[in-house]
Amino acid sequence: MGARVISFHYTLTDPDGNQLDSSQGSDPLSFLEGGGQIIPGLEQALGKLESGTKTQVQVAAKDAYGEHNAENVIEVPRDKLPAEEVKVGDQFRAGEDARSPVVTVTAVSDQSVTLDGNHPLAGVDLTFDVEITAEIRDATDEEISHGHAHGPGGHHH
Ligand code: ZN
């Protein structure tokens, strides 16, 4: 069986019911099965649904952005940071590279700054209200070789 491209609308909420993200009002999101384009727990759940299904999917933190790992929290001397003004909640890349992890400032003192390299949603159980759009289609050879879906809601080159 070849890989498929599945398109869906979603609204993401955290355990307190706060809406974190939604595709409503824009194109549904398209992903290539097995491409690792979306979080594993959601991909697994969506792969079992039929076209047109509207349902709610619960994804535990470990199957979403992972558990919060205390080893990814580091304290660095204030003068090691390039930025002059630093406040709690600031986010920046830990390196020059666009693929460097994003870190979040979680504490600031006169001498040091605490940086959390975990994804902001690490340790958070997520709820997705999803609707699979009408068409689930077979992936093209090009999509399979690129490892992602093309077209509306997918990658544009
Ligand atoms: Zn491509």
Side-chain angles (χ1 to χ4, degrees), residues 146 148 150 155 157:
H146 287 193
H148 54 230
H150 291 159
H155 262 258
H157 292 282

Side-chain angles (χ1 to χ4, degrees), residues 1 3 7 17 19-20 28-29 36 41 43 49 52 59 65-66 78 88-89 103 106 122 136 140 144-145 148 151 154:
M1 201 179 83
S7 300
Q19 182 176 319
L20 302 176
L29 193 68
E43 173 160 349
L49 302 176
V59 183
Y65 294 97
R78 184 80 190 246
V88 171
V103 297
T106 55
I136 294 177
T140 64
I144 292 170
S145 75
H148 54 230

Side-chain angles (χ1 to χ4, degrees), residues 10 12-15 18-21 39 59-69 91 102 104 116-128:
Y10 68 95
L12 168 61
T13 50
D14 70 13
N18 300 307
Q19 182 176 319
L20 302 176
D21 195 11
I39 57 174
V59 183
K62 69 176 172 56
D63 299 317
Y65 294 97
E67 300 290 359
H68 191 270
N69 183 354
Q91 292 188 320
V102 171
T104 305
D116 188 342
N118 289 286
H119 188 282
L121 291 177
V124 180
D125 295 330
L126 303 175
T127 299
F128 291 88

